Amino acid sequence: MSKSTAIVLVHGFWGGAAHWAKVITELSRRGYTSLHAVEMPLTALADDAERVRKMVRQQEGPVILVGHSYGGAVLSEAGDLPNVAGLVYVAAFAPDAGESPGGITQEDPPVAAPNLAPDSDGYLWVKPDKFHESFCQDLTADEALVMAVTQKAPLATTFGDAVTAPAWKAKPCWYQISSQDHMIAPTNQARMSARMNARKVITLDASHASLASHPVEICDLIEEAVAAI
């Protein structure tokens, strides 16, 4: 595989494709030319997985799927397509069959759980004044402000959508744990990464937003996945 390998980046809850901005620019600097950041509706796991499948099917060659946060659940659901060559999880959910992000969260609630608030339309938000400390405490106040104001809230029901046949059981996987994550408990990340028998697991002294605070290390892991396939 080469620098032309397709890399498809899958965002999580409370952010869109632009959350990958620093990873995109770093991968481009390293010479990767087939970069794609899918924008999901965050309305249901089935909807989000189908959106990713459509993006993957548009690629002519092998694809490395990279998922952050809830995006890992989407990878697990949609990553079984034949041209998906590997899965990279970035501080992400990796549910087993029958598990949901909400169920995993309840097993070991994260620090920022009290900072989530539903609205009258059924969407779940991170309280804007709590966003910095909850999601991205290792970013600047200005970066956190932009993320808070532009956050993309999921329908709360999406938390309960269970994965059917997790692709990580059949595809090579890599996983990055954020040891200072306030959105997905680091203990949950360690448990999920251990059971998937990942090719490599790295731990960063990072917030949930490791894709923005540690883009170089995240790109190093993606490059290892590209080189190993």
Side-chain angles (χ1 to χ4, degrees):
M1 298 175 79
S2 68
K3 299 288 186 179
S4 62
T5 298
I7 299 172
V8 175
L9 305 166
V10 182
H11 65 82
F13 289 150
W14 302 298
H19 269 196
W20 292 104
K22 293 182 182 179
V23 168
I24 291 167
T25 54
E26 177 65 19
L27 286 173
S28 178
R29 186 189 66 77
R30 298 184 187 197
Y32 289 90
T33 57
S34 184
L35 303 175
H36 313 271
V38 63
E39 191 74 47
M40 300 185 299
L42 303 185
T43 49
L45 179 59
D47 298 341
D48 298 329
E50 185 55 28
R51 182 67 195 90
V52 171
R53 288 189 189 102
K54 287 180 178 178
M55 176 72 81
V56 171
R57 291 188 186 110
Q58 292 296 317
Q59 312 311 315
E60 294 183 358
V63 172
I64 296 293
L65 275 177
V66 187
H68 174 243
S69 187
Y70 162 75
V74 180
L75 260 60
S76 301
E77 186 71 8
D80 59 346
L81 292 177
N83 60 328
V84 174
L87 308 171
V88 181
Y89 290 79
V90 177
F93 287 108
D96 204 342
E99 288 184 341
S100 67
I104 292 171
T105 299
Q106 289 174 359
E107 290 178 19
D108 194 350
V111 172
N115 297 335
L116 303 179
D119 67 15
S120 58
D121 294 317
Y123 292 88
L124 191 64
W125 300 82
V126 180
K127 296 175 183 177
D129 62 334
K130 300 290 186 180
F131 198 96
H132 195 183
E133 68 184 68
S134 302
F135 197 94
C136 54
Q137 70 270 21
D138 52 359
L139 296 181
T140 68
D142 284 348
E143 289 174 310
L145 175 62
V146 172
M147 281 190 172
V149 172
T150 63
Q151 64 177 292
K152 185 173 183 176
L155 278 175
T157 52
T158 307
F159 266 98
D161 292 344
V163 166
T164 54
W168 52 260
K169 290 189 174 182
K171 305 281 186 176
C173 299
W174 289 257
Y175 196 104
Q176 177 263 314
I177 298 170
S178 285
S179 64
Q180 304 301 321
D181 200 316
H182 294 171
M183 300 299 295
I184 302 177
T187 49
N188 262 338
Q189 294 181 39
R191 180 178 64 85
M192 289 185 288
S193 60
R195 72 182 180 184
M196 69 165 51
N197 194 28
R199 297 280 187 94
K200 184 172 185 178
V201 177
I202 64 169
T203 300
L204 298 177
D205 184 21
S207 71
H208 189 56
S210 54
L211 75 175
S213 62
H214 291 73
V216 171
E217 293 93 330
I218 300 303
C219 289
D220 288 344
L221 191 62
I222 294 170
E223 280 206 302
E224 285 198 30
V226 172
I229 299 303

